[in-house]
Amino acid sequence: MTHAAVGLLIRRRRSLGRRSQMDLAHEIGVSPRHLSFVELGKSKPSADLLLAIARHLDVPLRERNDWLLAAGYAPRYPETSLTEPELARVRRSLQALLDAHDPFPAAVIDRTWSVQLSNRAARRLVSGIAAEVRGVPTNIFRTALHPAGLAHRTRNFPQWSAYLLWHLDRAVTRNQDPALTALAAEIATWQGIPERRAWGHLSAEEGDDPVVPWRLEAGGQELSLITTMSTFGVPMDVTLSELSIELFFPADETTEAALRRHADTGTW
């Protein structure tokens, strides 16, 4: 029963990645026959083989632990809250990075795109939006796509929402998280959101800009922001593996001047 369970998990992830059994077997250095037996539950994989398969399929650390448990092994990767003493130095480093980026918005988000850390500029952007709209903690998908959130202030909403919905669709598929799946189902009912089945095919391409900007009305003027995302290089903790750092930069001089000016006043 245990062998069959982990075999199903492997086959599902391989199918999601559109990888053939033969190609995957050759990559990890086993015979296609052996990999077939593992997927069918006829052969118990070693912990090392499971992790090799997981690495080649880019399986998240959280799910790698699930695979190990399903095969009868102990989880390999700890999951430590960002508030725990073990991650205090990491948390301070992340917050220092965000604060140094001020007066430009920046945040650390988890696998559901919920904000774990932010700087003052980011908090100014969402000030005035009700908690039931933003979510607790603030969720980027909810805040940016909800009609009562930033959607009505986004001047290029079709393009910007395409960028966000594509990422949401990818996160739902990659993480298999019930809460994220439920959020996607809710967002699909909101005004101005395309049909759910189209999200994975949306394109955010807009004009001749080298990077598609987020055009947002704030303080009576339009801001134009571009975004970058970064992650930890070799995370060995589930929490850290699921964190991303999003830094926004002004796309033009007018936006930069506005962000610096409002940082001095503290309001929009």
Side-chain angles (χ1 to χ4, degrees):
M1 291 293 292
T2 300
H3 302 172
V6 73
L8 288 172
L9 294 175
I10 294 171
R11 186 160 65 250
R12 183 186 69 180
R13 179 58 67 175
R14 181 174 59 77
S15 297
L16 286 173
R18 297 192 173 99
R19 300 294 307 279
S20 74
Q21 201 172 69
M22 179 173 292
D23 286 345
L24 178 59
H26 288 162
E27 280 190 15
I28 62 179
V30 300
S31 70
R33 178 183 176 86
H34 182 52
L35 180 58
S36 175
F37 276 21
V38 169
E39 290 191 0
L40 292 172
K42 295 181 179 180
S43 177
K44 179 179 179 178
S46 67
D48 288 342
L49 176 58
L50 277 180
L51 293 178
I53 295 171
R55 284 194 298 272
H56 282 274
L57 292 178
D58 193 26
V59 175
L61 297 192
R62 180 182 300 276
E63 190 174 343
R64 294 184 197 187
N65 278 343
D66 292 339
W67 284 19
L68 290 166
L69 284 169
Y73 301 111
R76 180 73 58 91
Y77 306 98
E79 181 178 3
T80 311
S81 171
L82 200 55
T83 60
E84 292 296 319
E86 294 89 334
L87 295 185
R89 181 178 292 274
V90 172
R91 183 184 179 93
R92 288 197 301 270
S93 298
L94 289 172
Q95 190 62 60
L97 173 63
L98 302 185
D99 292 342
H101 195 66
D102 206 84
F104 310 140
V108 173
I109 58 178
D110 63 18
R111 65 178 179 150
T112 67
W113 286 46
S114 291
V115 176
Q116 300 301 309
L117 298 169
S118 62
N119 66 2
R120 289 177 297 176
R123 293 191 289 273
R124 278 195 298 273
L125 280 183
V126 300
S127 62
I129 300 176
E132 57 266 26
V133 172
R134 292 188 284 108
V136 181
T138 296
N139 182 272
I140 298 296
F141 293 127
R142 292 190 62 88
T143 305
L145 297 170
H146 198 288
L150 295 174
H152 73 285
R153 291 167 48 192
T154 300
R155 297 294 176 249
N156 60 337
F157 186 73
Q159 292 76 25
W160 192 247
S161 64
Y163 158 74
L164 291 170
L165 293 170
W166 184 87
H167 276 285
L168 176 54
D169 181 75
R170 186 181 181 190
V172 168
T173 300
R174 173 176 170 78
N175 296 317
Q176 302 291 303
D177 181 87
L180 198 59
T181 301
L183 176 59
E186 179 185 349
I187 289 175
T189 67
W190 294 350
Q191 179 183 349
I193 301 298
E195 291 186 7
R196 175 69 179 84
R197 61 185 179 182
W199 293 1
H201 308 286
L202 294 175
S203 172
E205 294 179 5
E206 176 188 9
D208 298 323
D209 292 307
V211 179
V212 175
W214 178 25
R215 304 187 190 281
L216 177 72
E217 187 279 324
Q221 67 181 96
E222 182 179 298
L223 304 179
S224 184
L225 299 164
I226 57 176
T227 180
T228 65
M229 301 282 283
S230 58
T231 59
F232 285 97
V234 190
M236 297 302 290
D237 185 282
V238 172
T239 297
L240 297 184
S241 74
E242 295 176 346
L243 293 182
S244 297
I245 306 162
E246 183 164 27
L247 304 178
F248 287 92
F249 294 87
D252 53 47
E253 293 181 359
T254 300
T255 298
E256 180 172 354
L259 290 172
R260 294 190 184 279
R261 182 171 61 254
H262 288 293
D264 293 335
T265 63
T267 64
W268 286 107

